[in-house]
Short mmCIF file of all heavy atoms in Angstrom, two decimals:
data_model
loop_
_atom_site.label_atom_id
_atom_site.label_comp_id
_atom_site.label_asym_id
_atom_site.label_seq_id
_atom_site.Cartn_x
_atom_site.Cartn_y
_atom_site.Cartn_z
N ALA A 1 -5.00 23.88 -7.94
CA ALA A 1 -4.04 23.49 -6.91
C ALA A 1 -3.37 22.16 -7.27
O ALA A 1 -2.15 22.04 -7.21
CB ALA A 1 -4.74 23.37 -5.56
N THR A 2 -4.17 21.16 -7.66
CA THR A 2 -3.65 19.84 -7.99
C THR A 2 -4.54 19.19 -9.04
O THR A 2 -5.77 19.25 -8.94
CB THR A 2 -3.61 18.92 -6.75
OG1 THR A 2 -2.99 19.59 -5.66
CG2 THR A 2 -2.83 17.64 -7.05
N ALA A 3 -3.91 18.58 -10.02
CA ALA A 3 -4.63 17.79 -11.02
C ALA A 3 -4.41 16.32 -10.69
O ALA A 3 -3.27 15.84 -10.67
CB ALA A 3 -4.13 18.11 -12.42
N LEU A 4 -5.51 15.63 -10.41
CA LEU A 4 -5.45 14.22 -10.02
C LEU A 4 -6.09 13.35 -11.09
O LEU A 4 -6.80 13.85 -11.96
CB LEU A 4 -6.17 14.00 -8.69
CG LEU A 4 -5.71 14.84 -7.49
CD1 LEU A 4 -6.65 14.61 -6.31
CD2 LEU A 4 -4.29 14.51 -7.11
N ALA A 5 -5.85 12.05 -10.98
CA ALA A 5 -6.54 11.08 -11.82
C ALA A 5 -7.07 9.97 -10.92
O ALA A 5 -6.41 9.58 -9.95
CB ALA A 5 -5.61 10.50 -12.88
N LEU A 6 -8.26 9.49 -11.23
CA LEU A 6 -8.83 8.35 -10.53
C LEU A 6 -8.60 7.11 -11.37
O LEU A 6 -8.87 7.10 -12.58
CB LEU A 6 -10.33 8.56 -10.30
CG LEU A 6 -11.08 7.38 -9.65
CD1 LEU A 6 -10.56 7.12 -8.25
CD2 LEU A 6 -12.58 7.66 -9.63
N HIS A 7 -8.11 6.06 -10.74
CA HIS A 7 -7.82 4.79 -11.40
C HIS A 7 -8.61 3.69 -10.72
O HIS A 7 -8.82 3.72 -9.50
CB HIS A 7 -6.33 4.45 -11.31
CG HIS A 7 -5.41 5.56 -11.72
ND1 HIS A 7 -4.72 5.57 -12.92
CD2 HIS A 7 -5.06 6.72 -11.09
CE1 HIS A 7 -3.99 6.67 -13.00
NE2 HIS A 7 -4.17 7.38 -11.90
N THR A 8 -9.01 2.68 -11.48
CA THR A 8 -9.70 1.53 -10.91
C THR A 8 -9.03 0.24 -11.36
O THR A 8 -8.33 0.19 -12.38
CB THR A 8 -11.19 1.49 -11.30
OG1 THR A 8 -11.31 1.35 -12.72
CG2 THR A 8 -11.91 2.74 -10.83
N LEU A 9 -9.27 -0.80 -10.58
CA LEU A 9 -8.64 -2.11 -10.82
C LEU A 9 -9.63 -3.20 -10.46
O LEU A 9 -10.34 -3.09 -9.45
CB LEU A 9 -7.37 -2.21 -9.97
CG LEU A 9 -6.69 -3.56 -9.78
CD1 LEU A 9 -5.17 -3.38 -9.62
CD2 LEU A 9 -7.24 -4.29 -8.55
N GLU A 10 -9.69 -4.25 -11.27
CA GLU A 10 -10.54 -5.40 -10.98
C GLU A 10 -9.75 -6.68 -10.82
O GLU A 10 -10.27 -7.68 -10.32
CB GLU A 10 -11.59 -5.58 -12.09
CG GLU A 10 -12.56 -4.40 -12.19
CD GLU A 10 -13.56 -4.56 -13.30
OE1 GLU A 10 -13.52 -5.60 -14.00
OE2 GLU A 10 -14.40 -3.66 -13.48
N ASP A 11 -8.50 -6.66 -11.23
CA ASP A 11 -7.63 -7.84 -11.09
C ASP A 11 -6.21 -7.35 -10.91
O ASP A 11 -5.73 -6.51 -11.68
CB ASP A 11 -7.75 -8.73 -12.34
CG ASP A 11 -7.00 -10.03 -12.17
OD1 ASP A 11 -7.00 -10.59 -11.06
OD2 ASP A 11 -6.38 -10.49 -13.15
N VAL A 12 -5.53 -7.84 -9.90
CA VAL A 12 -4.19 -7.36 -9.56
C VAL A 12 -3.12 -8.09 -10.35
O VAL A 12 -3.11 -9.33 -10.42
CB VAL A 12 -3.90 -7.53 -8.05
CG1 VAL A 12 -2.52 -7.00 -7.70
CG2 VAL A 12 -4.97 -6.84 -7.22
N SER A 13 -2.22 -7.33 -10.95
CA SER A 13 -1.02 -7.89 -11.56
C SER A 13 0.12 -7.82 -10.54
O SER A 13 0.35 -6.75 -9.96
CB SER A 13 -0.62 -7.12 -12.82
OG SER A 13 -1.64 -7.19 -13.80
N ALA A 14 0.78 -8.91 -10.29
CA ALA A 14 1.85 -8.92 -9.30
C ALA A 14 2.98 -7.99 -9.72
O ALA A 14 3.29 -7.86 -10.91
CB ALA A 14 2.38 -10.34 -9.11
N PRO A 15 3.61 -7.31 -8.77
CA PRO A 15 4.76 -6.45 -9.11
C PRO A 15 5.84 -7.26 -9.83
O PRO A 15 6.09 -8.42 -9.49
CB PRO A 15 5.26 -5.96 -7.75
CG PRO A 15 4.08 -6.08 -6.84
CD PRO A 15 3.31 -7.28 -7.33
N ALA A 16 6.46 -6.65 -10.82
CA ALA A 16 7.51 -7.34 -11.58
C ALA A 16 8.66 -7.73 -10.67
O ALA A 16 9.28 -8.80 -10.85
CB ALA A 16 8.00 -6.44 -12.71
N ARG A 17 8.97 -6.87 -9.69
CA ARG A 17 10.03 -7.16 -8.73
C ARG A 17 9.47 -6.97 -7.32
O ARG A 17 9.59 -5.89 -6.74
CB ARG A 17 11.24 -6.26 -8.95
CG ARG A 17 12.00 -6.60 -10.24
CD ARG A 17 13.24 -5.76 -10.39
NE ARG A 17 12.92 -4.37 -10.69
CZ ARG A 17 13.82 -3.41 -10.88
NH1 ARG A 17 15.11 -3.68 -10.77
NH2 ARG A 17 13.44 -2.18 -11.16
N PRO A 18 8.84 -8.00 -6.77
CA PRO A 18 8.25 -7.86 -5.43
C PRO A 18 9.28 -7.43 -4.40
O PRO A 18 10.43 -7.89 -4.42
CB PRO A 18 7.73 -9.27 -5.13
CG PRO A 18 7.56 -9.91 -6.48
CD PRO A 18 8.66 -9.34 -7.33
N ALA A 19 8.86 -6.56 -3.51
CA ALA A 19 9.76 -6.08 -2.47
C ALA A 19 9.90 -7.13 -1.38
O ALA A 19 8.98 -7.91 -1.12
CB ALA A 19 9.23 -4.79 -1.88
N PRO A 20 11.03 -7.15 -0.70
CA PRO A 20 11.15 -8.04 0.46
C PRO A 20 10.24 -7.57 1.58
O PRO A 20 9.92 -6.39 1.68
CB PRO A 20 12.63 -7.91 0.86
CG PRO A 20 13.05 -6.56 0.34
CD PRO A 20 12.26 -6.36 -0.93
N GLY A 21 9.79 -8.50 2.40
CA GLY A 21 8.93 -8.14 3.52
C GLY A 21 7.52 -8.65 3.30
O GLY A 21 7.25 -9.48 2.44
N ARG A 22 6.60 -8.09 4.10
CA ARG A 22 5.21 -8.55 4.04
C ARG A 22 4.28 -7.43 4.48
O ARG A 22 4.70 -6.48 5.17
CB ARG A 22 5.01 -9.74 4.97
CG ARG A 22 5.19 -9.40 6.45
CD ARG A 22 5.03 -10.61 7.35
NE ARG A 22 5.19 -10.26 8.77
CZ ARG A 22 4.20 -9.85 9.55
NH1 ARG A 22 2.96 -9.75 9.07
NH2 ARG A 22 4.42 -9.54 10.82
N LEU A 23 3.03 -7.54 4.08
CA LEU A 23 2.01 -6.59 4.52
C LEU A 23 1.43 -7.07 5.84
O LEU A 23 1.19 -8.26 6.04
CB LEU A 23 0.89 -6.50 3.48
CG LEU A 23 -0.16 -5.43 3.76
CD1 LEU A 23 0.36 -4.05 3.38
CD2 LEU A 23 -1.46 -5.74 3.01
N ARG A 24 1.17 -6.14 6.75
CA ARG A 24 0.46 -6.46 7.98
C ARG A 24 -0.41 -5.27 8.38
O ARG A 24 -0.20 -4.14 7.94
CB ARG A 24 1.42 -6.81 9.11
CG ARG A 24 2.36 -5.69 9.54
CD ARG A 24 3.16 -6.10 10.77
NE ARG A 24 4.13 -5.09 11.16
CZ ARG A 24 3.85 -4.00 11.87
NH1 ARG A 24 2.60 -3.77 12.28
NH2 ARG A 24 4.79 -3.13 12.19
N VAL A 25 -1.40 -5.53 9.20
CA VAL A 25 -2.27 -4.47 9.71
C VAL A 25 -1.51 -3.68 10.77
O VAL A 25 -0.84 -4.26 11.63
CB VAL A 25 -3.56 -5.07 10.30
CG1 VAL A 25 -4.44 -3.97 10.88
CG2 VAL A 25 -4.32 -5.84 9.23
N ALA A 26 -1.60 -2.37 10.70
CA ALA A 26 -0.94 -1.52 11.70
C ALA A 26 -1.61 -1.70 13.05
O ALA A 26 -2.84 -1.81 13.15
CB ALA A 26 -1.00 -0.06 11.27
N GLY A 27 -0.80 -1.73 14.10
CA GLY A 27 -1.31 -1.90 15.44
C GLY A 27 -0.98 -0.74 16.35
O GLY A 27 -0.38 0.26 15.92
N ALA A 28 -1.35 -0.88 17.60
CA ALA A 28 -1.15 0.20 18.56
C ALA A 28 0.32 0.60 18.68
O ALA A 28 0.65 1.78 18.86
CB ALA A 28 -1.71 -0.20 19.92
N SER A 29 1.22 -0.37 18.55
CA SER A 29 2.65 -0.07 18.68
C SER A 29 3.18 0.76 17.50
O SER A 29 4.26 1.34 17.59
CB SER A 29 3.45 -1.37 18.80
OG SER A 29 3.31 -2.16 17.63
N ASP A 30 2.41 0.80 16.40
CA ASP A 30 2.81 1.58 15.22
C ASP A 30 2.29 3.01 15.24
O ASP A 30 2.64 3.82 14.38
CB ASP A 30 2.30 0.91 13.94
CG ASP A 30 2.80 -0.50 13.76
OD1 ASP A 30 4.03 -0.68 13.73
OD2 ASP A 30 1.96 -1.42 13.65
N ARG A 31 1.43 3.33 16.23
CA ARG A 31 0.68 4.57 16.18
C ARG A 31 1.59 5.80 16.06
O ARG A 31 1.37 6.66 15.20
CB ARG A 31 -0.20 4.69 17.42
CG ARG A 31 -1.14 5.90 17.41
CD ARG A 31 -1.94 5.96 18.70
NE ARG A 31 -2.76 4.78 18.89
CZ ARG A 31 -4.04 4.70 18.55
NH1 ARG A 31 -4.64 5.74 18.01
NH2 ARG A 31 -4.71 3.59 18.77
N GLU A 32 2.58 5.92 16.90
CA GLU A 32 3.43 7.11 16.89
C GLU A 32 4.11 7.29 15.53
O GLU A 32 4.14 8.39 14.97
CB GLU A 32 4.48 7.03 18.00
CG GLU A 32 5.36 8.26 18.11
CD GLU A 32 6.33 8.19 19.27
OE1 GLU A 32 6.19 7.29 20.12
OE2 GLU A 32 7.25 9.03 19.31
N LEU A 33 4.66 6.21 14.98
CA LEU A 33 5.31 6.28 13.68
C LEU A 33 4.31 6.62 12.58
O LEU A 33 4.59 7.44 11.70
CB LEU A 33 6.00 4.96 13.36
CG LEU A 33 6.72 4.88 12.01
CD1 LEU A 33 7.84 5.91 11.93
CD2 LEU A 33 7.25 3.47 11.76
N MET A 34 3.12 6.02 12.63
CA MET A 34 2.12 6.29 11.60
C MET A 34 1.66 7.75 11.64
O MET A 34 1.41 8.35 10.59
CB MET A 34 0.91 5.36 11.78
CG MET A 34 1.19 3.88 11.57
SD MET A 34 1.76 3.45 9.90
CE MET A 34 3.54 3.30 10.20
#
């Protein structure tokens, strides 16, 4: 059905072109969209 690969990481390399915006924890107001 699907061929997957598992990847692991121990140290993060920053994206070459970081996207605008920020990460935040999803809250109750996000529920319907999520």
Side-chain angles (χ1 to χ4, degrees):
T2 311
L4 304 173
L6 176 64
H7 310 254
T8 63
L9 166 149
E10 296 178 1
D11 187 37
V12 181
S13 299
R17 289 184 290 180
R22 65 182 181 88
L23 186 78
R24 63 173 176 82
V25 177
S29 63
D30 301 302
R31 186 182 300 264
E32 183 177 349
L33 179 61
M34 295 298 101

